[in-house]
Amino acid sequence: MIVLVVIAVAAGIITNIITQQVRAQDPLYQCITSEDLPYQAYVTIFVTVNNQEITVPKNIGILPDCVRPMHTHDSNGVIHIAYEKPYDFRLGHFLWYWNFDILQYDATVYVNGFDIGEKYLDTVLHDGTSIRMDFKSKNSNII
């Protein structure tokens, strides 16, 4: 029995170490030390929920001790991306940083005016892209 406990604890510790190493290499978990980095992109985003415009909050991706490569500075609807090299930051990553609960909504998403369908979370954010996201509560009668 003690051997099983030791094996379980060791497996947990090893899994934790591996997870930390993988996340250290993933830009989504990294903090940038400067915004003066070679790769820069600015993406405009406009969001409605049940036909009401909502403000994209300032400081998404900005924590007291960490600035993520993808973040907002203010509530003007601009996502700023700053990183050491090009990386496919995606709309789903941004919504994850924002803690926006997409599961309670049906979404119609437009990129540069074109409806991109159901795979909107995979949309790569490129410099100059304009995104409009219209969310409707599921089981809502709002048209």
Side-chain angles (χ1 to χ4, degrees), residues 9-25:
V9 170
I13 291 170
I14 291 169
T15 300
N16 189 30
I17 291 169
I18 291 170
T19 300
Q20 288 176 0
Q21 291 298 319
V22 169
R23 284 186 174 176
Q25 302 304 312

Side-chain angles (χ1 to χ4, degrees), residues 20-69:
Q20 288 176 0
Q21 291 298 319
V22 169
R23 284 186 174 176
Q25 302 304 312
D26 187 340
L28 297 177
Y29 293 96
Q30 293 178 7
C31 301
I32 57 175
T33 56
S34 165
E35 294 193 50
D36 186 25
L37 294 168
Y39 180 71
Q40 299 281 324
Y42 296 89
V43 177
T44 304
I45 187 168
F46 179 81
V47 182
T48 64
V49 173
N50 297 325
N51 297 323
Q52 298 293 313
E53 180 180 349
I54 64 166
T55 302
V56 176
K58 66 180 181 177
N59 296 329
I60 293 173
I62 298 177
L63 308 169
D65 60 345
C66 176
V67 176
R68 302 287 187 200

Side-chain angles (χ1 to χ4, degrees), residues 28-123:
L28 297 177
Y29 293 96
Q30 293 178 7
C31 301
I32 57 175
T33 56
S34 165
E35 294 193 50
D36 186 25
L37 294 168
Y39 180 71
Q40 299 281 324
Y42 296 89
V43 177
T44 304
I45 187 168
F46 179 81
V47 182
T48 64
V49 173
N50 297 325
N51 297 323
Q52 298 293 313
E53 180 180 349
I54 64 166
T55 302
V56 176
K58 66 180 181 177
N59 296 329
I60 293 173
I62 298 177
L63 308 169
D65 60 345
C66 176
V67 176
R68 302 287 187 200
M70 181 173 38
H71 53 271
T72 60
H73 291 284
D74 48 46
S75 57
N76 65 358
V78 175
I79 301 168
H80 180 216
I81 300 170
Y83 197 57
E84 60 195 38
K85 60 185 178 185
Y87 179 83
D88 285 347
F89 291 98
R90 298 175 187 272
L91 183 56
H93 299 148
F94 178 75
L95 293 172
W96 175 61
Y97 278 164
W98 184 0
N99 292 319
F100 192 91
D101 185 6
I102 61 170
L103 297 178
Q104 63 181 317
Y105 300 103
D106 292 318
T108 305
V109 178
Y110 303 88
V111 174
N112 296 330
F114 295 97
D115 184 342
I116 59 170
E118 295 179 6
K119 299 218 178 236
Y120 67 93
L121 296 174
D122 293 331
T123 301

